[in-house]
Amino acid sequence: GPRRRRTTLLKPANLLFAGVALGIIAGAQLFGALPAAAQPAVVVTMSDAPPKFIPDKVSVKVGQTVEWKNTGHTIHDVTTKPGPIVKADQVAVPAGAQPFDSGFLAPGKTFSYTFTVPGTYRYICIPHQADGMTGEVEVTK
């Protein structure tokens, strides 16, 4: 008699499995390599003895990110915002740029900021301003 041709149907379960497998592969690739914008161009450490930013002066291009990492055993912060306990002459941002403030960073914590406006940013660590813990980021086009 006539031979029947076997047809293989794509079952929903098989499609789901293929989708999950592709999703896992795509996810592994995504997490393996973060987008370039998320990777800091420069890492500045915050130390305790003496309290200082290392290096205290860095230069990046517009669109690049600086990451501050508290490598000390005390709280540090990074701020360009003048305020009641921050002297206005110790902090500065270029015209058109928003001031930034990390808030207090516990030991081991980090704060990142991506610079979009060229110019000179001067910042301090509020708990250690009396110790002269200041820093500067020069942003070029």
Side-chain angles (χ1 to χ4, degrees):
R3 270 179 123 182
R4 273 186 160 192
R5 210 164 71 203
R6 184 185 285 181
T7 57
T8 306
L9 294 175
L10 291 174
K11 294 179 182 160
N14 290 346
L15 286 174
L16 178 65
F17 176 76
V20 168
L22 284 173
I24 291 169
I25 292 165
Q29 288 174 340
L30 181 70
F31 292 114
L34 289 170
Q39 299 204 347
V42 177
V43 175
V44 175
T45 60
M46 296 178 274
S47 70
D48 293 343
K52 62 193 227 172
F53 294 105
I54 304 169
D56 60 353
K57 289 188 180 181
V58 298
S59 182
V60 296
K61 292 191 179 315
V62 165
Q64 289 187 313
T65 301
V66 173
E67 178 185 279
W68 288 268
K69 181 172 179 60
N70 184 352
T71 57
H73 299 288
T74 61
I75 287 174
H76 290 292
D77 87 325
V78 180
T79 189
T80 61
K81 291 183 176 179
I85 55 172
V86 177
K87 297 183 189 132
D89 63 349
Q90 290 184 309
V91 293
V93 298
Q98 290 297 313
F100 57 85
D101 187 300
S102 66
F104 293 130
L105 298 173
K109 297 295 181 192
T110 62
F111 169 73
S112 294
Y113 186 81
T114 301
F115 292 86
T116 57
V117 178
T120 302
Y121 295 74
R122 293 198 350 255
Y123 62 88
I124 66 162
C125 172
I126 293 173
H128 301 106
Q129 62 184 330
D131 300 310
M133 188 168 176
T134 62
E136 190 174 292
V137 178
E138 187 65 38
V139 181
T140 59
K141 288 183 180 174

